Amino acid sequence: MMTKPSEQPSSSSSSSSSSSRQHQSHPEETEEELREHQGLSSVSPASSSSSPPTNHHHHLHSSAASLASGQQEQRGLVIKQEPLDPQEEQEERERQTEELLFRQQQALLLEQQRIHQLRNYQASMEAAGLSISFAGHRPLSRAQSSPASASFPLVVQDPPSKPRFTTGLVYDSLMQKHQCICGNSTSHPEHAGRIQSIWSRLQERGLRAHCECIRGRKASLEELQTVHSEAHVLLYGTNPLRQKLDCAVNPMFVRLPCGGIGVDSDTIWNDVHSSSAARLAVGSVVELVFKVASGEIKNGFAVVRPPGHHAEESTPMGFCYFNSVAIAAKLLQQRLSVSKILIVDWDVHHGNGTQQAFYSDPNVLYLSLHRYDDGNFFPGSGAPDEVGTGAGVGFNVNMAFTGGLEPPMGDADYLAAFRTVVMPIANEFAPDVVLVSSGFDAVEGHAPPLGGYRLTAKCFGYLTRQLMGLAGGRVVLALEGGHDLTAICDASEACVSALLGNELDPLPDEVVQQRPNANAVQSMENVLEIQGKYWRSLQLSASKLGYSLSEVLRSESEETETVTAMASLSVANKHISKRTEEEPMEEEVDPAFNHS
């Protein structure tokens, strides 16, 4: 008898919960999307994604309130009838008590389910960065001696625990749906398995358990327009595009050899899922960056795709549609008034889109390490003499490696570049936040057209650890390129481990002893010569360009000893001269010097 009446509320509760879940996990199915299709150019800046849950929340409140008032009426019900004999009266009282107890239990169960549902919603909203409080909404109170309490024990779940101040991770499986309609991922290096395998690796190694998982969201069209033109945003940020995909009519799209559609020979387009995935990648990076910048979490890693650093104001290219890191930086400036942002781009390809977005901005320092080869490696931009324009002169730094793959750059070369170029400039700039376009295609395992360098994944853990010394540790890495699954999983693991503050595996002895190769030294000299006009700190690092890490450490140790010795000698000299003034010359003896 208890089961039947409770079936109805239970099923309604679960269906309501599932609709809430479905709404959150399928952000492309929003009112915002419908509005975009009806009137593309007039977009409301406010996201409507929170609108349905708000109404849902209100509905739950009113349902709970009506339930409570109904219960009050039931308690105060007066039944008018003829007087009964004592036995019948006793039976009637028992029947009414039993019925009331049953209704109380049923109401308590209903209330329990609603509270649980509200808490789940509250937790999901808080995970999305929205603070929701249910002031005044309490479970129906019962004394411990109450029959309902005794016969139907229910444990109210504790409210969700506060987020930990740790490393944040953001990921959403919807980004996997950005796939070529040919269905063959082997011919497309930027495929869904990239983020899926990284996410699985972080889970397998127990790193995810120590992190705070942040819920991603779709970036609004207004947010995308901080970096991209309105036409670009409407073309690639809205669905459906079927009417635009006639390649004969619209030259923006091309038919690929695989039979699919793309914006160029390697950048595929899926007219159902690509715009949502690209906007979700941007929104996820923005959510994570804002939580780190506001001090809610310590640092973070965004496992996102498609990548973004090649996307220019009005041009998608190199697998990229919207420049996630650049958009996050612009929004930090606009919404949080962050004054100095450092963007480090260690993808093996130059981030032409990011450079373009901040080329005249002195408040955003863009610092890229990439394979350049005198402009003969994709995308061909990123020369060392591209230093910025106007007020932004000196705030664009290209650590452009040249000389091809003879030999390929490795750990020793990147560690030297960080030591002599990246960290001195970064420390002098003193950023408030550090964003990293974290492509892993410089890691060993990438064929020459997609990289060809031979860094170890472990090295990226060390580069991450160095950046954590900046901006009070407010560092966010966002995945860019990298297509060898083992390489990108190993490198992601190393970076997240570094962000968590775990002890790093020691670098191999051969890396510590190895000097940067001649091409690397030449490349660094070019950068120091050009950027030395703008950054004083570079003058100090020029003398040790060709040193190995062990030689640098030895040299610094010797310098420290020399400085200490010089300091003590200086103290001794002052002491001697003071005594010479105070005492006759013949009393000046060696023991006094030794004593000093």
Side-chain angles (χ1 to χ4, degrees), residues 322-343:
F322 301 121
N323 197 324
S324 306
V325 169
I327 292 166
K330 291 272 191 188
L331 292 171
L332 279 180
Q333 290 181 310
Q334 292 176 10
R335 295 181 185 173
L336 289 187
S337 302
V338 176
S339 59
K340 288 196 287 183
I341 301 164
L342 167 63
I343 299 176

Side-chain angles (χ1 to χ4, degrees), residues 434-499:
V434 179
L435 307 181
V436 183
S437 280
S438 183
F440 294 129
D441 34 15
V443 178
E444 190 169 11
H446 290 86
L450 287 173
Y453 282 1
R454 292 200 182 148
L455 276 77
T456 64
K458 195 179 290 184
C459 181
F460 281 94
Y462 277 84
L463 302 185
T464 301
R465 182 58 55 85
Q466 289 183 61
L467 294 178
M468 288 165 68
L470 301 163
R474 290 182 289 275
V475 179
V476 178
L477 278 59
L479 184 67
E480 293 281 3
H483 309 96
D484 178 83
L485 295 185
T486 305
I488 65 176
C489 288
D490 289 349
S492 298
E493 182 185 342
C495 289
V496 172
S497 190
L499 289 171

Side-chain angles (χ1 to χ4, degrees), residues 77-191:
L77 191 66
V78 178
I79 300 168
K80 294 183 180 178
Q81 56 182 29
E82 293 300 313
L84 301 170
D85 66 50
Q87 187 177 356
E88 283 179 340
E89 197 173 339
Q90 177 67 22
E91 285 172 3
E92 179 63 24
R93 268 204 305 273
E94 284 174 4
R95 188 185 64 76
Q96 284 187 20
T97 306
E98 194 176 320
E99 187 178 341
L100 181 61
L101 176 61
F102 165 69
R103 286 182 184 278
Q104 287 174 344
Q105 290 173 338
Q106 189 179 0
L108 190 63
L109 177 62
L110 249 178
E111 185 73 0
Q112 191 74 31
Q113 290 167 338
R114 289 208 167 92
I115 290 163
H116 183 64
Q117 192 175 344
L118 281 169
R119 283 207 170 121
N120 284 346
Y121 169 64
Q122 182 180 12
S124 67
M125 286 298 100
E126 283 175 353
L130 299 171
S131 177
I132 306 286
S133 63
F134 300 126
H137 183 86
R138 310 175 78 83
L140 297 174
S141 54
R142 291 275 177 277
Q144 284 302 309
S145 58
S146 156
S149 172
S151 61
F152 196 70
L154 280 170
V155 180
V156 177
Q157 193 182 20
D158 288 337
S161 59
K162 277 191 167 183
R164 298 162 292 162
F165 186 67
T166 182
T167 297
L169 296 177
V170 66
Y171 168 80
D172 193 307
S173 58
L174 272 175
M175 288 180 280
Q176 293 177 30
K177 293 190 174 186
H178 167 63
Q179 290 283 55
C180 184
I181 56 175
C182 76
N184 180 5
S185 65
T186 54
S187 55
H188 300 289
E190 203 292 287
H191 60 83

Side-chain angles (χ1 to χ4, degrees), residues 248-455:
V249 177
N250 194 338
M252 304 293 284
F253 294 91
V254 296
R255 183 68 64 181
L256 303 177
C258 64
I261 292 158
V263 294
D264 58 36
S265 58
D266 56 16
T267 308
I268 65 100
W269 182 260
N270 180 311
D271 64 320
V272 179
H273 299 297
S274 289
S275 67
S276 290
R279 284 174 62 176
L280 190 53
V282 176
S284 297
V285 171
V286 170
E287 281 295 295
L288 184 59
V289 165
F290 269 64
K291 285 187 183 296
V292 171
S294 60
E296 202 174 313
I297 53 176
K298 191 174 181 182
N299 51 39
F301 184 80
V303 186
V304 294
R305 68 178 287 269
H309 72 149
H310 293 309
E312 296 186 345
E313 183 189 18
S314 300
T315 313
M317 60 187 284
F319 313 131
C320 307
Y321 289 93
F322 301 121
N323 197 324
S324 306
V325 169
I327 292 166
K330 291 272 191 188
L331 292 171
L332 279 180
Q333 290 181 310
Q334 292 176 10
R335 295 181 185 173
L336 289 187
S337 302
V338 176
S339 59
K340 288 196 287 183
I341 301 164
L342 167 63
I343 299 176
V344 174
D345 188 336
W346 61 41
D347 189 290
V348 80
H349 304 93
H350 179 244
N352 53 295
T354 314
Q355 174 171 297
Q356 182 196 63
F358 301 105
Y359 206 57
S360 60
D361 188 345
N363 300 309
V364 177
L365 170 60
Y366 178 64
L367 213 162
S368 174
L369 303 94
H370 53 274
R371 182 178 170 190
Y372 177 59
D373 293 355
D374 299 314
N376 293 310
F377 190 70
F378 182 87
S381 57
D385 59 1
E386 293 169 12
V387 297
T389 187
V393 169
F395 293 94
N396 197 87
V397 180
N398 285 315
M399 180 55 253
F401 289 104
T402 200
L405 302 176
E406 298 176 0
M409 300 300 162
D411 290 1
D413 309 301
Y414 269 59
L415 288 168
F418 247 65
R419 193 168 61 240
T420 58
V421 177
V422 177
M423 293 311 294
I425 293 177
N427 278 307
E428 192 175 337
F429 180 65
D432 300 310
V433 177
V434 179
L435 307 181
V436 183
S437 280
S438 183
F440 294 129
D441 34 15
V443 178
E444 190 169 11
H446 290 86
L450 287 173
Y453 282 1
R454 292 200 182 148
L455 276 77

